[in-house]
Amino acid sequence: MQFEDVAYKINIKQVGGFLKKNDAESQEKLILKGITGIVLPSEMLVMLGPSGSGKTTLLTALGGRLGGHLAGNITYNNKPFSNAMKSNTGFVAQDDVLHPHLTVTETLVYTALLRLPKTLTKEQKSQHAEAVITQLGLSRCKDSIIGGGLLKGISGGERKRVSIAQEMMINPSLLFLDEPTSGLDSTTSQRIVFTLWELANGGRTIVMTIHQPSSRLYYMFHKVLLLSEGNPLYFGKGSNALDYFSSVGFVPSVAMNPADFLLDLANGISFDDSCEDEIAIKQTLVCSYKENLSESVKSEVGSDHNQVHDSIDHDKKLKRWSSTWCQQFDVLFRRGLKERRHESFSVLKIAQVLLVAILCGLLWWQSDTSRHLQDQLGFLFFYCGFWVTYPVFLGIFTFSQDRAMLRKERASGMYHLSSYFMAMTLGDLPMDLVLPTVFFIITYWMVGLNPTPGSFFSGLFVLLYSVLCSKGLGLAIGAVIVDIESASAFGTVLTLTFFLPSGFYVQNVPVFIRWIKYISINQYSYKLLLLSQYKPGETYTCGNNKTCLVEHFDIVKTVGLDGLATYVVAMTIMLVGYRLIAYFALMR
């Protein structure tokens, strides 16, 4: 892999109103400033530098995952980066994005099923996953869950090795790693780097960033790239770094870790007797690199152009997708069921639904139509309110939890977005519908609603249908509004807006705002629930023991007992429409 004069700049959003600057320089910031280098098979290139020096930005650019204003030339065996190459290049991010409830074996087997060629059988892919587990020393914890947060699982070092194992599944010839030793103790860090060193010696190309390695780690590095504020200060063999800086006048005053010395220089700290400040030291090092190293590095990159073997295009026939759409759907569906069931059927959620159901049953105990029509209407409206609001917020939080995983796996070219979306939609159906069904069964008989089978099953259908529509609305909000706090606030305002004009609280809605009820899920689900319980001509006992028609009751009269087909079609449009909005928002 060669990279020549790589530069990257970003636009900075200005704040401050009337006090903001208007000059062009304040709107752009140069992150990378013309970086050149080359890394060959069986070599490990390590990028060093202080925080904010551009290490992760450069690594992301080299891994083909950085958009925006990227300049320069990056080639792989003299070929530009392509989507087909993405699924055959390993990239391990700094944060370990893993499913917490899956075991190590399950995590890697699912990865193998998605990333290995479709010409292999499931058994062969599972065997390959087992081989990678053994290769990276994960046999001891292979049956343990990943864990995370408050869920106890494997250790931090083991989590990092699982992340590396996921990328090793495709046997990549080029592997990128961002801070693979971050947050780990020195012994675990050495084990991780030694594993990578062995992989490099096996013929792979390893490129990674490390913040502050120990001296034991430093001497494993084949090549070192030192960065400071986006400028290259050194590129070459790690063993030659101290000699180079000595030749330009920077010598450590005491025996020390070479990595610490390089990082001090990158921060503008020198241990000699000069009185230069940090800025002057950095400028001196940048100029020294341009005068002494820049041309030799560029000549090394240029001389290698004619010596590479076109192994990527011929030895490995790259394909955009390793598995078919149906295979992707099958794997994602089964993985989603196994992972989401722990959250959807948590003790807290089950207890919450059961408690509300029992409380409602006691409050509306045996509110039969003949004597307590008002109470029944209130209970049916509560049905709508609770089972519209609750699924909306479940949907809002769905993508916030999956976004990091989706971004990681889609960047690796593991599956189509459509296969993920369909697997998520269908996989969530059992978990979305079980708790409302239990709630309905408990409350229906405690409240004393219409006992006929037709009314029971039609009422259950309406409730579940409204749950699906509301979940779709929540998915759309969560996909369109990335910030979870903003999405929650918007969801709260929207559900309240739909709640109020639905026919129970306000019977005479002003004409200029009446249109809101026609886009309200509450309005449609309430109307259909009334139709499931009452029929035209049905009576109830009104004042002075008189018999009155149900359709003449104020609330029922406002909502009406007609238009069944129209309301079902309207909810069907919402069911499909909200999910289409969510899908296209995810594509963005």
Side-chain angles (χ1 to χ4, degrees):
M1 181 185 66
Q2 303 100 341
F3 46 100
E4 302 176 66
D5 296 323
V6 175
Y8 182 70
K9 62 183 179 180
I10 60 173
N11 293 322
I12 301 176
K13 295 182 180 180
Q14 298 182 0
V15 295
F18 294 107
L19 300 179
K20 67 181 182 181
K21 298 179 180 179
N22 294 318
D23 57 291
E25 292 183 0
S26 66
Q27 300 177 7
E28 291 185 347
K29 182 178 181 181
L30 201 58
I31 305 298
L32 302 176
K33 305 172 183 178
I35 303 174
T36 299
I38 181 173
V39 55
L40 303 173
S42 300
E43 285 186 345
M44 180 191 296
L45 169 64
V46 176
M47 304 178 193
L48 296 177
S51 299
S53 61
K55 304 188 301 297
T56 297
T57 302
L58 178 59
L59 186 81
T60 308
L62 297 180
R65 303 183 179 216
L66 187 65
H69 304 290
L70 181 65
N73 187 32
I74 304 173
T75 59
Y76 314 79
N77 282 15
N78 289 338
K79 302 290 183 181
F81 191 83
S82 64
N83 285 331
M85 190 177 297
K86 181 190 299 184
S87 58
N88 291 270
T89 299
F91 193 101
V92 181
Q94 180 175 352
D95 297 324
D96 301 315
V97 182
L98 301 166
H99 289 292
H101 293 98
L102 299 182
T103 66
V104 171
T105 299
E106 289 171 341
T107 299
L108 297 180
V109 166
Y110 284 131
T111 302
L113 293 174
L114 288 169
R115 301 196 69 176
L116 292 181
K118 51 192 169 186
T119 54
L120 300 178
T121 64
K122 289 184 178 180
E123 292 73 19
Q124 290 173 322
K125 292 180 179 181
S126 298
Q127 290 172 2
H128 188 73
E130 290 288 344
V132 173
I133 288 174
T134 302
Q135 181 184 14
L136 291 180
L138 293 168
S139 300
R140 185 179 64 86
C141 63
K142 69 177 185 177
D143 295 322
S144 302
I145 63 171
I146 299 296
L150 300 177
L151 182 64
K152 184 174 177 56
I154 59 178
S155 67
E158 290 168 336
R159 287 171 59 89
K160 181 60 65 177
R161 275 184 281 167
V162 170
S163 296
I164 296 173
Q166 284 188 307
E167 302 304 317
M168 289 302 302
M169 201 65 63
I170 58 172
N171 193 24
S173 57
L174 182 58
L175 181 61
F176 298 94
L177 304 102
D178 188 15
E179 302 279 3
T181 62
S182 177
L184 303 179
D185 60 80
S186 59
T187 302
T188 304
S189 299
Q190 186 177 9
R191 289 174 180 169
I192 294 290
V193 175
F194 181 73
T195 300
L196 297 172
W197 181 83
E198 287 184 319
L199 295 176
N201 286 340
R204 294 178 179 84
T205 303
I206 307 293
V207 182
M208 64 179 175
T209 65
I210 287 187
H211 183 65
Q212 196 163 8
S214 65
S215 57
R216 290 187 297 176
L217 298 185
Y218 180 84
Y219 288 111
M220 294 184 190
F221 305 156
H222 299 108
K223 285 183 176 178
V224 169
L225 171 60
L226 181 64
L227 297 175
S228 176
E229 298 179 355
N231 293 296
L233 302 185
Y234 175 78
F235 179 84
K237 293 183 179 180
S239 56
N240 296 339
L242 293 183
D243 293 336
Y244 164 74
F245 285 110
S246 297
S247 67
V248 296
F250 294 92
V251 182
S253 57
V254 294
M256 61 186 303
N257 176 4
D260 291 340
F261 177 67
L262 297 184
L263 290 172
D264 286 340
L265 292 178
N267 280 302
I269 300 174
S270 175
F271 295 96
D272 57 17
D273 296 331
S274 66
C275 297
E276 292 181 297
D277 60 12
E278 294 181 5
I279 297 177
I281 292 174
K282 292 178 182 178
Q283 291 176 344
T284 301
L285 291 170
V286 171
C287 293
S288 298
Y289 177 85
K290 292 179 179 179
E291 294 174 1
N292 300 292
L293 278 181
S294 179
E295 291 302 322
S296 63
V297 172
K298 290 183 178 180
S299 63
E300 181 184 359
V301 172
S303 65
D304 193 73
H305 275 299
N306 299 322
Q307 299 177 16
V308 297
H309 300 287
D310 211 3
S311 58
I312 290 183
D313 291 323
H314 297 291
D315 297 340
K316 267 187 170 181
K317 293 183 179 180
L318 297 181
K319 296 187 180 296
R320 180 66 180 93
W321 304 107
S322 299
S323 53
T324 65
W325 191 95
C326 292
Q327 289 173 334
Q328 294 170 10
F329 171 82
D330 177 61
V331 175
L332 293 171
F333 180 80
R334 290 188 287 113
R335 188 182 73 175
L337 282 179
K338 186 164 289 189
E339 173 63 27
R340 292 179 186 273
R341 66 183 180 185
H342 298 280
E343 180 184 350
S344 298
F345 296 131
S346 65
V347 175
L348 182 61
K349 287 187 177 179
I350 295 175
Q352 178 184 12
V353 171
L354 290 179
L355 182 62
V356 174
I358 294 172
L359 182 61
C360 289
L362 295 176
L363 286 173
W364 277 283
W365 179 261
Q366 297 301 310
S367 299
D368 62 289
T369 305
S370 61
R371 294 176 298 168
H372 307 101
L373 180 59
Q374 172 68 39
D375 288 346
Q376 277 198 0
L377 295 174
F379 174 72
L380 294 175
F381 192 75
F382 174 80
Y383 253 168
C384 300
F386 185 76
W387 287 111
V388 167
T389 305
Y390 189 77
V392 164
F393 284 92
L394 289 181
I396 288 175
F397 285 95
T398 295
F399 291 132
S400 67
Q401 297 167 345
D402 281 1
R403 196 178 301 276
M405 181 66 70
L406 182 62
R407 184 182 294 115
K408 167 192 169 182
E409 294 181 336
R410 288 277 296 151
S412 298
M414 291 177 66
Y415 46 74
H416 295 83
L417 178 61
S418 57
S419 62
Y420 158 80
F421 193 81
M422 287 301 297
M424 182 270 297
T425 300
L426 296 181
D428 281 355
L429 282 179
M431 293 167 277
D432 289 341
L433 302 181
V434 168
L435 290 180
T437 301
V438 173
F439 185 96
F440 185 83
I441 293 173
I442 293 174
T443 55
Y444 197 90
W445 305 112
M446 292 181 71
V447 173
L449 296 175
N450 195 328
T452 62
S455 294
F456 175 81
F457 286 108
S458 59
L460 178 60
F461 172 79
V462 171
L463 180 66
L464 298 182
Y465 209 52
S466 65
V467 167
L468 295 179
C469 292
S470 304
K471 180 69 178 291
L473 175 60
L475 292 175
I477 295 173
V480 172
I481 305 176
V482 177
D483 181 68
I484 191 63
E485 292 186 3
S486 301
S488 299
F490 182 78
T492 301
V493 173
L494 192 62
T495 51
L496 287 176
T497 302
F498 287 170
F499 196 66
L500 295 176
S502 301
F504 184 79
Y505 291 123
V506 184
Q507 276 79 55
N508 299 308
V509 181
V511 176
F512 64 89
I513 203 173
R514 191 173 297 171
W515 60 270
I516 294 179
K517 70 178 183 179
Y518 297 113
I519 61 172
S520 168
I521 300 176
N522 302 67
Q523 156 79 6
Y524 295 106
S525 59
Y526 188 47
K527 172 79 170 261
L528 293 175
L529 276 176
L530 293 184
L531 288 172
S532 72
Q533 297 300 307
Y534 312 115
K535 301 294 184 291
E538 190 173 343
T539 62
Y540 73 101
T541 302
C542 51
N544 297 324
N545 292 323
K546 293 181 180 179
T547 301
C548 303
L549 292 174
V550 171
E551 61 260 34
H552 291 165
F553 193 81
D554 288 342
I555 296 175
V556 180
K557 187 176 181 180
T558 301
V559 178
L561 293 177
D562 55 353
L564 173 64
T566 303
Y567 279 66
V568 172
V569 170
M571 291 192 70
T572 303
I573 294 173
M574 291 183 177
L575 177 68
V576 177
Y578 285 139
R579 280 173 166 77
L580 287 177
I581 293 173
Y583 177 75
F584 289 117
L586 285 182
M587 288 181 63
R588 178 201 63 185

